Amino acid sequence: SYVLTQPPSVSVAPGKTARITCGGNNIGSKSVHWYQQKPGQAPVLVIYYDSDRPSGIPERFSGSNSGNTATLTISRVEAGDEADYYCQVWDSSSDHNWVFGGGTKLTVL
Amino acid sequence: EVQLVESGGGLVQPGGSLRLSCAASGFTFSSYWMHWVRQAPGKGLVWVSRINSDGSSTSYADSVKGRFTISRDNAKNTLYLQMNSLRAEDTAVYYCARALIAARPFDYWGQGTLVTVSS
């Protein structure tokens, strides 16, 4: 089955740029979605189809996807961005393959 | 306003059964695929099961296949997950989430319901 690999943690100072990667075999050929989850809360979609933002998500959140790596970029990081972030793809080669990465804990220093 | 509200979680012994419900409102429920995603304590998100918009097609993660059954009642705007032969490793918060079709993202999630399997 398809595997997505994320770094367990990323740390960034307020006002700086955070980049969270999601690795997968030829992930550039798939559509990647990103979710933010704060403690005790349900996940929230922040980026879909690699780089689109749902309404209500700040422009500071952006995404890219190429080759074997997709990236979620958060510009001008704020304390409120501290959360777990998960990438997700649908592997069309299988009927039961909605796959999540292991998640990345973003810490704002 | 889109709302998904799970219920039915609780403490159950190994080998026992539980049925989760997810009540939907604020959108045309019968137009959406629905999913169950779970999260063990301190762990990441794991997809569990999905059902298409009219309930004619379902699929399951290998870890629950043969033990869990997903269903829906479009007249009642409700999604279900029947969980049988529960194991300790099924302990998790269970979320329902909607998606327009297979490749679409999970754009709304419920708040989750905790299932604890323990003797």
Side-chain angles (χ1 to χ4, degrees):
Chain A
S1 62
Y2 195 75
V3 176
L4 295 174
T5 301
Q6 297 182 238
S9 63
V10 167
S11 298
V12 63
K16 300 299 186 182
T17 298
R19 294 178 179 86
I20 298 173
T21 59
C22 176
N25 184 34
N26 197 26
I27 195 173
S29 66
K30 303 182 184 299
S31 293
V32 179
H33 314 306
W34 290 91
Y35 303 88
Q36 175 194 68
Q37 186 181 33
K38 296 182 178 180
Q41 298 185 18
V44 172
L45 180 67
V46 293
I47 291 289
Y48 64 102
Y49 285 147
D50 298 340
S51 58
D52 291 338
R53 271 179 295 103
S55 60
I57 300 301
E59 291 183 8
R60 301 183 297 103
F61 288 80
S62 62
S64 63
N65 184 17
S66 179
N68 292 318
T69 304
T71 303
L72 172 69
T73 301
I74 310 172
S75 304
R76 302 180 301 282
V77 167
E78 303 174 356
D81 298 330
E82 186 163 288
D84 294 325
Y85 291 85
Y86 296 89
C87 58
Q88 181 247 322
V89 302
W90 173 56
D91 181 13
S92 59
S93 67
S94 168
D95 185 46
H96 56 280
N97 234 355
W98 283 264
V99 183
F100 288 94
T104 297
K105 168 66 176 177
L106 176 67
T107 299
V108 181
L109 301 170
Chain B
E1 178 192 7
V2 173
Q3 284 200 321
L4 297 169
V5 180
E6 301 95 336
S7 60
L11 176 63
V12 61
Q13 292 188 338
S17 297
L18 214 53
R19 188 175 85 154
L20 306 183
S21 299
C22 169
S25 61
F27 66 101
T28 305
F29 180 69
S30 59
S31 295
Y32 284 79
W33 289 36
M34 296 298 296
H35 297 259
W36 288 100
V37 176
R38 69 185 181 184
Q39 186 171 37
K43 303 297 184 181
L45 302 172
V46 176
W47 176 81
V48 172
S49 182
R50 67 87 182 165
I51 187 167
N52 69 345
S53 56
D54 66 5
S56 63
S57 174
T58 61
S59 61
Y60 301 90
D62 288 342
S63 59
V64 307
K65 195 174 298 182
R67 300 188 298 122
F68 289 11
T69 302
I70 190 171
S71 62
R72 65 191 296 161
D73 186 335
N74 284 347
K76 295 183 177 180
N77 291 341
T78 303
L79 172 73
Y80 303 100
L81 185 67
Q82 178 67 43
M83 304 186 296
N84 298 331
S85 303
L86 283 162
R87 307 166 180 167
E89 54 264 36
D90 295 319
T91 294
V93 173
Y94 286 73
Y95 296 99
C96 63
R98 75 169 199 180
L100 199 51
I101 54 173
R104 294 287 293 183
F106 302 171
D107 60 353
Y108 280 93
W109 298 61
Q111 85 289 349
T113 188
L114 176 62
V115 172
T116 303
V117 184
S118 175
S119 55

